[in-house]
Amino acid sequence: MAEERSGQRAEEAQRTSAVDRYFGLSENKTTYRVEGIAGLTTFLAMAYIIFVNPAILGETGMDMDAIFVATCLAAATGTLVMGLWARYPIAQAPGMGLNAFFAFTVVIGMGIPWQTALAGTLVSGFLFFLLVLTGVREAIVNAIPLQLKLAVGAGIGIFIAFIGLDNAGIVAADPDTIVTLGELTAPPTLLAIFGLIVTIALLLRGLRGAVFYGIVVTAIAGVVTGLVPTPAAIISPVPSLAPTFGQAFINLPELLTAQMAIVVFTMLFVDLFDTTGTLIAVANQAGFLTADGRLPRANRALLSDSIATMAGASMGTSTTTSYIESAAGVGAGGRTGLTSVVTAALFLLALAFSPLLAVVTAEVTAPALIIVGVMMARGLGGIEWEKLEYAIPAFVTVVTMSLTFSIANGIALGLFLFPLAMVFKGRWREVHPVMYSLFVIFAIYFIWLVE
């Protein structure tokens, strides 16, 4: 009886609090405790990015400690803006796929300095901001057919998985067959395979945060077996952000080239559909969509994403975007922006654990890349393969990303082929004028700009 009265008093205190009124806790039939658990759940589901992002961007020569700090701060900033302003339980962090595009296509593939790539990220975030404010975003989203949107997401997933398989040593280069099966008995490869099996098992058992826990278990196994260096500490002062902070502003003039225009467009394009798709998916799961399918405060949510991207680029990381892993927190009961506030606070707390970067080697993060790739490849199931006018551009988009080791090439070829396929099919009237404009742009790109 006393416990019941205590619970009633707690509920009454919540209803009369400013926090409840601002976030609408009682209105959404949730509590501080539920929102706190949901925020923790979301954080654990996406915490892998804290270690995977520095590993990927570190391939460019950027300072990994600075990337770690930038990743945590960008995630905290974007998630906090989403929670306090848009008031949705949706977290943000540097996006998988976009970080791979930044590192492997732009910097390593095109030979563009990482400082210039950061400048491109900053500009893409600013353009996203303008597109949302002017309403152009909706027109662009509607112009691109669903089939190509699905193909882009799936293709990036396969590209990421390929990187993971290569880092694991499961696949290797071969002068005769281009690629071949790696040396599976090599100790580092065995560690990656162990981590992959553990992560799959955790996922299939329905454990929230399975990818993150898979990294933890693999790292521990690596330390125990001597394959991974033992960290000098667990907690330490926050590393310096100086090596990457503000570098995006230094190289802004170098963006005035056709090659960088394609880079900025690709960053904007992927972020645009990644964010929109995530918002709709999570909002639908949480029951936020109206009867006509609209999302209240949608512009605030999208502007939160663009603000996070600009902030992240300024600090030293690739495009920051909304995370589908937010669905884990919604599944745990999160219904308001308070969930995001809790997640943001945990990203800030994570800043103290930078020494653990030493144990997160390529073999340790490889299983995460492979599994995230699997999750992103689910879009293949939504493509209408029986309709060749859709199937051919979609297929070329997907396979070209990995075979040319360039996300930009895959997107460009897909958007180039789609209008042609529709014209040959006699359905040219169904193609949006924006698509014909992109056809011309990418024709010029392939003829004159690709080296």
Side-chain angles (χ1 to χ4, degrees), residues 307-320:
I307 291 169
T309 293
M310 289 187 285
S314 301
M315 290 182 281
T317 186
S318 54
T319 305
T320 303

Side-chain angles (χ1 to χ4, degrees), residues 1 31 50 63 70 120 200 220 361 364 371 408 413:
M1 195 71 177
T31 65
I50 296 173
D63 184 273
I200 291 173
I220 292 173
T361 61
V364 172
I371 294 300
L413 276 172

Side-chain angles (χ1 to χ4, degrees), residues 235-247:
I235 298 176
S236 73
V238 178
S240 173
L241 191 61
T244 58
F245 185 77
Q247 294 297 313

